[in-house]
Amino acid sequence: EDKVVQSPLSLVVHEGDTVTLNCSYEVTNFRSLLWYKQEKKAPTFLFMLTSSGIEKKSGRLSSILDKKELFSILNITATQTGDSAIYLCAVGEGAGGTSYGKLTFGQGTILTVHP
Amino acid sequence: NAGVTQTPKFRVLKTGQSMTLLCAQDMNHEYMYWYRQDPGMGLRLIHYSVGEGTTAKGEVPDGYNVSRLKKQNFLLGLESAAPSQTSVYFCATRAGTPYEQYFGPGTRLTVT
């Protein structure tokens, strides 16, 4: 059975701290790994990773994928209260032309940043 | 552009009642998805559609039906609601970039 596991499930930090969120996966036909940020409503897309070892960066957020060890990390440096959210990891699977873009999601990590 | 919209935003049903959730998109995306989100379980795929007139089952389809009569709309129906269907429901669409999905704001459904 396909599985995506995130850790920790929740995390409380203070502004300025650096956090690392983890995502490990076991899927039959890996295509890509995606990170989403979910505040009060809809998940919003952060990164998509398809190749090992290539870091994706956006401001204070960065992410990297290890396809050999089947995991990804999301780093947030100099955290701010606006970073408080649920961070979701999802793995995209497919089988060539029949792919329908299936995403298998992890449980999410709830990040709380205190002032 | 509105992107992905969902109606209603909230709904309370009694066990056995039926309802339809509407997802509408103005991005001309072919793929559309319905997920449910429950605490500690992430997002789980209910049904999906790869184009107008086509639908297929996802991971947790029991108790739900869907229709995609028009490309821009994807409807999720509950014929006889059960308390286990209390959840937040998200619709998503897929752009040209593989696997990047855009989500609607969600519908919070409570079945008593």
Side-chain angles (χ1 to χ4, degrees):
Chain A
E1 185 182 316
D2 297 335
K3 197 160 52 169
V4 178
V5 177
Q6 294 185 243
S7 64
L9 294 182
S10 66
L11 192 53
V12 179
V13 300
H14 287 93
E15 273 192 320
D17 289 348
T18 293
V19 298
T20 298
L21 310 183
N22 304 293
C23 176
S24 63
Y25 62 91
E26 293 176 31
V27 299
T28 47
N29 191 9
F30 175 89
R31 289 300 180 100
S32 59
L33 188 142
L34 294 87
W35 285 97
Y36 284 86
K37 178 182 182 182
Q38 185 178 21
E39 296 175 87
K40 293 198 188 301
K41 293 186 176 179
T44 53
F45 173 76
L46 292 174
F47 298 113
M48 182 171 72
L49 304 117
T50 55
S51 301
S52 277
I54 298 175
E55 187 183 51
K56 291 265 180 129
K57 233 175 136 52
S58 176
R60 297 177 292 103
L61 277 68
S62 63
S63 183
I64 197 158
L65 174 66
D66 186 327
K67 288 168 75 172
K68 185 179 173 189
E69 300 297 329
L70 307 184
F71 79 91
S72 173
I73 59 172
L74 175 69
N75 279 320
I76 308 175
T77 59
T79 52
Q80 302 171 356
T81 54
D83 295 326
S84 295
I86 301 172
Y87 289 84
L88 296 165
C89 170
V91 172
E93 305 172 64
T98 64
S99 166
Y100 60 88
K102 176 187 173 187
L103 289 179
T104 301
F105 282 84
Q107 323 94 299
T109 294
I110 303 171
L111 174 65
T112 304
V113 182
H114 287 310
Chain B
N1 287 348
V4 183
T5 59
Q6 291 182 232
T7 52
K9 290 185 173 49
F10 304 94
R11 186 73 187 267
V12 178
L13 287 180
K14 292 190 188 324
T15 296
Q17 287 184 320
S18 63
M19 77 163 293
T20 300
L21 283 68
L22 170 64
C23 175
Q25 55 117 344
D26 61 5
M27 297 181 285
N28 204 34
H29 291 169
E30 290 292 337
Y31 293 75
M32 296 185 76
Y33 309 84
W34 276 108
Y35 292 91
R36 59 177 289 173
Q37 186 176 34
D38 303 294
M41 300 192 74
L43 286 152
R44 293 182 291 167
L45 183 64
I46 305 171
H47 285 280
Y48 65 96
S49 168
V50 301
E52 181 179 315
T54 71
T55 63
K57 293 180 181 180
E59 183 186 356
V60 289
D62 293 342
Y64 305 95
N65 56 73
V66 287
S67 66
R68 183 104 180 263
L69 297 178
K70 292 183 180 180
K71 185 177 183 179
Q72 63 267 35
N73 294 339
F74 194 27
L75 279 66
L76 178 71
L78 286 74
E79 289 183 349
S80 179
S84 61
Q85 293 177 304
T86 293
S87 189
V88 181
Y89 292 86
F90 287 100
C91 174
T93 71
R94 181 180 148 194
T97 304
Y99 309 109
E100 179 181 337
Q101 293 182 15
Y102 295 88
F103 286 83
T107 294
R108 185 174 293 276
L109 175 65
T110 302
V111 183
T112 61

